[in-house]
Amino acid sequence: MTIREATARYEAWLGEHLTLLPADLALKHQNMREAVFPFLRATYYRWAQVWPEVCEEAAAAPAVLSVGDLHVENFGTWRDAEGRLVWGINDFDEAWWLPYTNDLVRLAASALLSDRENDLAIDPNRVDVAILEGYEEALQCGGSPIVLAEHHRALREMAVERLKNPVRFWEKLEAQLSPVKKVPDSARKVLERALPEPDLECRWAHRRAGLGSLGRERFVAIAEWHGAKIVREAKAVAPSACRWAEKGGGTAKIFCEEALERAVRCPDPFLHIKKGFVVRRLAADCSRIELEALPREHDEYRLLRAMGFETANVHLGSGRTGAIRKDLSRRSTGWLRRAAKWMVEAVEQDWKAWRRGSK
């Protein structure tokens, strides 16, 4: 199956589960042409389809409830119930039971691909070392939420740097919004319930954001509250693309909420899954962190190590620590590096084919 055939079949299947927006899908297809890293982010369905074949040895590993669509820009910050800044994985839309190696290989491959666009200051041959160091440390200690308070100084400085200019957050958000005449009742109700007070006067809009989820309904409610703007977002969810890749169709349980609940995590009190939507607060301190937004002096090795640690925080929720550690101990040195490079080659091949077919 070619990348164009896979895309058409996946989108047809996805359309059976939620409303797709043709103009946003067209934009997604255009963004897939621009560079290979956005292509990777936009095509998790293709990854789910090909990675067990390309990385057959790596894929023979204990299964855990995984993130699925993990990559270096699927991390962000939020405030916990105590108002503390927490850092971790930002999106569980594609959560599924997978070999634990899937998340590690995809994270490493995304780091190699993003290096070409974001000029990461890390030796590509050390990407896997950093990720595995963090991952194995978390397995050994039982994991820990990454709260940016007393600890994690380097990571805290990286995250806080982008919070110094909230105006930039609002400018970017406004650029992603377009007014809507009518918001579906289901989305309107979950957004209204997520606001701090009932009957707040809201501005309703559709938001174009992300890459993997571009094409889905994504609505926001913007209100004034105590002298400043607040935002809540509702994004449509569907079964993981893994269901399509494994079965070619049909429906399945959505594992997003279960993955969040199982993980070693300090939860975001504003994040909920209601009536087919992921509902969350949006703010400068509650959003995905893009690599290009980090300060110049950020330490990529520490950042990737923290990403590996946080990945283990998610996997620990499946209670298979012993099986994972046993499997890791039998793997040869460099297994993650090799698997990531093979997947980079597969993604690049699909990207070039997409560009040729899209002209």
Side-chain angles (χ1 to χ4, degrees):
M1 190 185 300
T2 67
I3 178 58
R4 294 183 66 80
E5 291 171 338
T7 300
R9 294 185 189 184
Y10 168 70
E11 290 174 356
W13 171 80
L14 187 62
E16 297 173 2
H17 297 276
L18 45 74
T19 300
L20 293 176
L21 307 176
D24 286 9
L25 277 182
L27 177 61
K28 176 179 178 177
H29 296 165
Q30 177 183 333
N31 291 340
M32 286 163 58
R33 294 190 65 247
E34 300 302 320
V36 66
F37 182 59
F39 178 87
L40 171 78
R41 287 186 50 201
T43 56
Y44 178 64
Y45 55 91
R46 182 61 164 177
W47 175 286
Q49 187 180 43
V50 305
W51 103 274
E53 299 177 4
V54 175
C55 301
E56 184 176 1
E57 182 179 353
V64 296
L65 188 51
S66 302
V67 182
D69 185 16
L70 189 59
H71 54 78
V72 290
E73 288 196 350
N74 188 1
F75 293 81
T77 56
W78 61 90
R79 296 283 180 182
D80 70 3
E82 289 293 325
R84 301 175 301 179
L85 193 64
V86 185
W87 178 91
I89 293 169
N90 192 55
D91 189 336
F92 287 82
D93 288 4
E94 301 288 357
W96 196 254
W97 284 88
L98 294 165
Y100 76 90
T101 47
N102 174 86
D103 286 352
L104 295 175
V105 174
R106 186 165 170 84
L107 180 58
S110 73
L112 294 174
L113 290 172
S114 66
D115 177 43
R116 303 176 188 181
E117 298 173 34
N118 296 286
D119 193 25
L120 300 183
I122 184 171
D123 181 348
N125 291 323
R126 300 193 71 202
V127 165
D128 63 313
V129 177
I131 291 171
L132 284 175
E133 271 189 12
Y135 188 79
E136 291 176 348
E137 180 189 356
L139 291 180
Q140 184 172 359
C141 73
S144 174
I146 302 178
V147 181
L148 305 183
E150 296 89 351
H151 309 292
H152 310 290
R153 176 182 174 184
L155 188 58
R156 180 174 69 249
E157 290 175 353
M158 291 183 219
V160 171
E161 178 68 23
R162 72 184 181 90
L163 305 182
K164 292 179 180 178
N165 185 10
V167 174
R168 181 181 177 186
F169 165 80
W170 287 104
E171 289 176 346
K172 183 173 181 179
L173 179 66
E174 288 289 348
Q176 297 171 335
L177 303 182
S178 58
V180 289
K181 294 181 179 179
K182 181 176 174 57
V183 175
D185 288 342
S186 56
R188 179 182 286 270
K189 287 178 180 178
V190 296
L191 285 170
E192 288 176 340
R193 290 170 183 166
L195 293 168
E197 291 180 8
D199 302 321
L200 285 178
E201 185 176 345
C202 295
R203 174 162 65 97
W204 302 92
H206 168 65
R207 181 180 178 221
R208 272 185 168 180
L211 281 169
S213 59
L214 191 56
R216 304 184 185 196
E217 291 181 314
R218 187 192 289 252
F219 300 104
V220 298
I222 305 172
E224 289 280 338
W225 190 59
H226 291 295
K229 289 187 289 188
I230 59 172
V231 186
R232 300 291 185 268
E233 178 190 76
K235 178 179 65 173
V237 290
S240 171
C242 294
R243 167 67 189 199
W244 171 81
E246 293 174 4
K247 303 293 185 180
T251 189
K253 177 180 177 180
I254 296 174
F255 286 101
C256 177
E257 191 165 25
E258 184 176 341
L260 284 164
E261 291 174 350
R262 283 173 172 257
V264 178
R265 192 172 182 86
C266 194
D268 177 354
F270 294 96
L271 180 61
H272 304 283
I273 292 84
K274 299 286 186 182
K275 298 185 182 298
F277 290 93
V278 176
V279 185
R280 60 177 182 164
R281 167 180 172 259
L282 294 182
D285 59 357
C286 190
S287 60
R288 180 172 59 86
I289 298 178
E290 297 174 342
L291 293 182
E292 62 183 16
L294 293 173
R296 291 182 181 274
E297 61 272 16
H298 59 279
D299 184 335
E300 283 86 354
Y301 193 92
R302 289 188 183 183
L303 186 60
L304 287 170
R305 197 174 186 280
M307 289 177 177
F309 191 102
E310 171 68 357
T311 304
N313 276 340
V314 175
H315 294 177
L316 283 164
S318 298
R320 305 207 64 194
T321 306
I324 294 172
R325 295 183 69 178
K326 181 178 180 180
D327 186 79
L328 277 171
S329 69
R330 71 174 180 80
R331 293 195 175 274
S332 60
T333 302
W335 73 268
L336 179 55
R337 185 183 314 168
R338 292 190 297 273
K341 288 183 177 179
W342 292 337
M343 285 307 300
V344 164
E345 293 171 1
V347 172
E348 287 181 326
Q349 183 177 344
D350 273 339
W351 175 59
K352 291 174 182 177
W354 180 263
R355 283 172 59 87
R356 287 194 301 270
S358 300
K359 290 182 180 179

